[in-house]
Amino acid sequence: MEKYGLYINGEWVNSTSGETFESINPATEEVIGIFQKGNKEDVKSAVEAAESAFEKWSSAPPPVRGEILFKATEILKTEKERLGKLVTTEMGKVIAEGLGDVQEAIDIFEYMAGEGRRLLGHTSTSELHDKFSMTVRRPVGIAGLITPWNFPIAIPAWKLSAALICGNTVVLKPASDTPLCAVELVKILERAGLPKGVINMVTGSGEEAGTEIATNNRIRVLSFTGSKDAGEFVLKNAGIKRVGLELGSKNPVIIMDDADIKLAVDGCIWGGFGTTGQRCTAASRVIVHKNVKEKFEKIFVERAEALTLGNGIESSTNVGPLINEKAVEKSQKYVDIGNKEGARILCGGEKAKIDGRGFFYKPTVFTDVKPDMKIAQDEIFGPVVSILEASSLEEAIKICNSVEYGLSSAIYTNNIRNAFKAIEKIDTGITYINASTIGAEVHLPFGGVKSTGNGTREAGIEGINEFTDTKTVYFDYSGRLQRAQIDVE
Ligand code: NAD
């Protein structure tokens, strides 16, 4: 079995503790690699390496940094097939989505490489004569990047590409369920010519390696994607550093009585069961107008029951496994809670094995779900969809907003007023009209409101805000003392 190292200062090394852990294929339960359990000392070494590489990397012209990211984009393109299969093998999502995960990394590297020729500030007028003002962007310093397992190539790529193009050096800690995807991504950046020390990667637990990254005060910006509990912990313990949080959600789809029901069913199947419900943007609540609820339910359940559960590497599979046994237990726990709360199960509600193996759970649909039930409030992160009824758009929007999260939302309607009201009133960072809650594109900002995050956005033009400091420049060419707010005429 192959053993993989930590990546510190351009070298693949063992952890100082000598401890290791395994990564497991969730469809077959086979071990796919052995990884270093990095600890606090290892993170400190990684920070030191990032610190020594900072001066040179941050001084390089951004288009020169962009050249390396373009090179990484090219390598990712040639390796897409192999990496897509790896995503499926290590994380479990079906192969089309595994390839999509890699495509997202290609897209963001290409986008951020181009950003090297912009990194725009702005110019402004001055209240005084012969004075020019503008803003310029500067790198923040060492960036700590902590990532989850559900987009094991795409999410590290989102953070790395933005942090690097802005001139920061990096310490990455990937999720322990998908370390191999991160190792492969780092190897690609190494091949693309990233100088040693610019990227460092420490695999290991959140409690130990993650906590050190969050609390280390030489790290100046922390970008964290994961669960709300861990996000709250890192925010509380991060000290004075910038923290970007992208956390969980409970995303709603509204289906109005004027909607194209077939289109809505397609969207709810894709949004609810794509990635086995393990997307932060998963459509886990469907709020249906009472006039079309019966019709929607019938077709939706037929379609959910027809989905083929299996190893995502087979092209015939529609729904792959959950990430691990704990995730299966979590889905089961919520199904039991839903049953106790009085919701009515329409299909699924059971664990499964394929050829006696794997962490599978059947696509599950609950109806007669009330907005305050736990299954309508908590993020389950599994293939469990709740159907709720509403009598009007106003009631549907109220239900949308009744949860603590706010990442993505969708509305199916053919009425323009309904669509614009939804855009205006739903408390989420993203709203789709006549499309499901999933499907972000990298040139647009991504992030949520309420407990989903603390206001930062990844990707798109706003994605670079997280990794740059703004310096304001006043350039006085009057040749005399000019006092702002006093010598104004
Ligand atoms: P998680 O919080 O368990 O782990 C995420 C990362 O944080 C891992 O690398 C983990 O090791 C690390 N970590 C855990 N505890 C830590 C601690 N105390 N200090 C520092 N680091 C710590 O989440 P997960 O199970 O990997 O991912 C699923 C969650 O991520 C879901 O809630 C999902 O909604 C969320 N998510 C959000 C987005 C988004 O953009 N909003 C995207 C993907 C996933």
Side-chain angles (χ1 to χ4, degrees):
M1 183 59 53
E2 193 156 352
K3 212 168 166 179
Y4 299 87
L6 309 174
Y7 189 67
I8 298 177
N9 207 21
E11 306 285 334
W12 293 94
V13 296
N14 288 338
S15 68
T16 47
S17 70
E19 286 181 62
T20 56
F21 66 97
E22 294 172 341
S23 175
I24 287 166
N25 178 336
T28 63
E29 302 182 38
E30 285 160 354
V31 177
I32 63 170
I34 295 173
F35 298 85
Q36 304 299 316
K37 199 166 175 193
N39 58 20
K40 287 186 176 31
E41 291 316 306
D42 298 313
V43 171
K44 283 182 183 148
S45 306
V47 169
E48 221 159 87
E51 210 159 50
S52 16
F54 180 73
E55 176 55 33
K56 197 159 175 216
W57 180 248
S58 61
S59 306
V64 172
R65 299 197 290 258
E67 276 305 311
I68 294 177
L69 299 200
F70 272 126
K71 188 83 192 293
T73 312
E74 289 311 309
I75 303 173
L76 279 164
K77 281 181 187 165
T78 59
E79 301 266 330
K80 181 175 169 183
E81 199 70 25
R82 181 180 73 83
L83 292 172
K85 282 185 185 155
L86 170 63
V87 170
T88 295
T89 309
E90 190 171 41
M91 183 273 162
K93 63 177 71 174
V94 297
I95 186 66
E97 293 186 42
L99 292 166
D101 205 299
V102 183
Q103 185 59 46
E104 206 166 323
I106 293 169
D107 295 345
I108 193 77
F109 269 105
E110 187 173 60
Y111 179 87
M112 287 298 172
E115 198 51 49
R117 292 203 175 263
R118 286 183 295 272
L119 288 183
L120 301 175
H122 60 267
T123 57
S124 177
T125 56
S126 169
E127 64 188 44
L128 295 166
H129 292 282
D130 297 335
K131 195 174 168 192
F132 174 77
S133 31
M134 64 181 170
T135 64
V136 292
R137 291 179 184 272
R138 305 178 74 226
V140 183
I142 302 173
L145 313 178
I146 301 180
T147 54
W149 45 265
N150 65 334
F151 280 82
I153 298 242
I155 292 180
W158 278 36
K159 294 186 192 297
L160 284 167
S161 58
L164 293 173
I165 196 64
C166 294
N168 305 281
T169 54
V170 162
V171 178
L172 167 69
K173 195 208 84 63
S176 297
D177 283 302
T178 52
L180 187 50
C181 287
V183 165
E184 291 294 337
L185 188 58
V186 170
K187 282 186 182 168
I188 284 170
L189 284 164
E190 192 181 30
R191 275 167 63 194
L194 206 62
K196 68 176 190 172
V198 172
I199 179 174
N200 303 276
M201 184 197 60
V202 179
T203 48
S205 74
E207 289 68 29
E208 177 134 18
T211 300
E212 178 59 30
I213 291 176
T215 55
N216 189 306
N217 58 22
R218 287 152 81 185
I219 291 179
R220 300 306 311 151
V221 49
L222 173 69
S223 182
F224 177 91
T225 300
S227 60
K228 180 181 157 255
D229 287 352
E232 270 183 325
F233 172 85
V234 302
L235 186 63
K236 276 190 193 132
N237 293 284
I240 302 177
K241 64 167 67 72
R242 185 176 311 166
V243 181
L245 298 177
E246 303 290 342
L247 310 176
S249 195
K250 189 73 181 174
N251 311 289
V253 177
I254 295 177
I255 302 171
M256 293 304 292
D257 55 357
D258 55 52
D260 176 337
I261 296 298
K262 174 161 179 324
L263 185 67
V265 169
D266 284 345
C268 291
I269 290 286
W270 173 227
F273 303 119
T275 328
T276 322
Q278 302 169 109
R279 288 199 190 209
C280 49
T281 51
S284 50
R285 294 183 294 154
V286 180
I287 302 156
V288 194
H289 194 283
K290 66 175 188 325
N291 296 346
V292 289
K293 181 167 173 260
E294 212 178 300
K295 183 176 174 193
F296 168 81
E297 243 168 43
K298 185 172 177 300
I299 315 175
F300 183 58
V301 170
E302 273 169 19
R303 291 278 304 279
E305 280 177 327
L307 293 170
T308 306
L309 203 61
N311 187 333
I313 214 81
E314 318 282 348
S315 57
S316 56
T317 296
N318 302 123
V319 179
L322 287 167
I323 187 68
N324 53 34
E325 189 65 49
K326 224 169 117 193
V328 175
E329 293 311 326
K330 188 176 177 192
S331 285
Q332 187 59 56
K333 181 184 100 180
Y334 275 101
V335 165
D336 294 344
I337 289 173
N339 281 324
K340 276 204 200 97
E341 285 178 313
R344 191 157 53 86
I345 203 157
L346 295 178
C347 67
E350 275 174 8
K351 303 174 194 178
K353 294 275 173 197
I354 306 291
D355 300 328
R357 303 179 300 179
F359 309 125
F360 294 95
Y361 203 88
K362 290 191 181 164
T364 301
V365 179
F366 272 110
T367 190
D368 299 342
V369 178
K370 301 288 172 259
D372 59 351
M373 288 181 178
K374 268 182 94 56
I375 54 167
Q377 290 285 326
D378 294 1
E379 185 185 51
I380 301 173
F381 227 53
V384 183
V385 174
S386 292
I387 299 177
L388 299 94
E389 182 181 298
S391 308
S392 64
L393 179 65
E394 287 63 34
E395 191 191 351
I397 291 175
K398 202 169 157 207
I399 296 171
C400 280
N401 293 344
S402 68
V403 298
E404 68 169 319
Y405 298 109
L407 181 53
S408 185
S409 57
I411 181 167
Y412 284 87
T413 181
N414 283 315
N415 178 324
I416 291 174
R417 180 191 168 272
N418 288 343
F420 273 95
K421 268 288 160 207
I423 295 167
E424 183 191 329
K425 294 290 181 192
I426 299 178
D427 296 333
T428 54
I430 305 164
T431 295
Y432 292 85
I433 314 299
N434 289 329
S436 194
T437 52
I438 66 181
E441 299 178 31
V442 304
H443 55 290
L444 286 151
F446 182 90
V449 303
K450 303 201 301 195
S451 294
T452 293
N454 57 348
T456 47
R457 291 290 180 267
E458 295 197 272
I461 200 76
E462 292 185 28
I464 59 170
N465 292 341
E466 192 175 359
F467 295 104
T468 50
D469 278 324
T470 298
K471 173 175 279 195
T472 306
V473 180
Y474 297 103
F475 200 120
D476 191 323
Y477 55 98
S478 68
R480 61 182 187 278
L481 172 68
Q482 296 201 90
R483 298 171 301 173
Q485 292 87 42
I486 296 170
D487 297 331
V488 182
E489 46 181 76

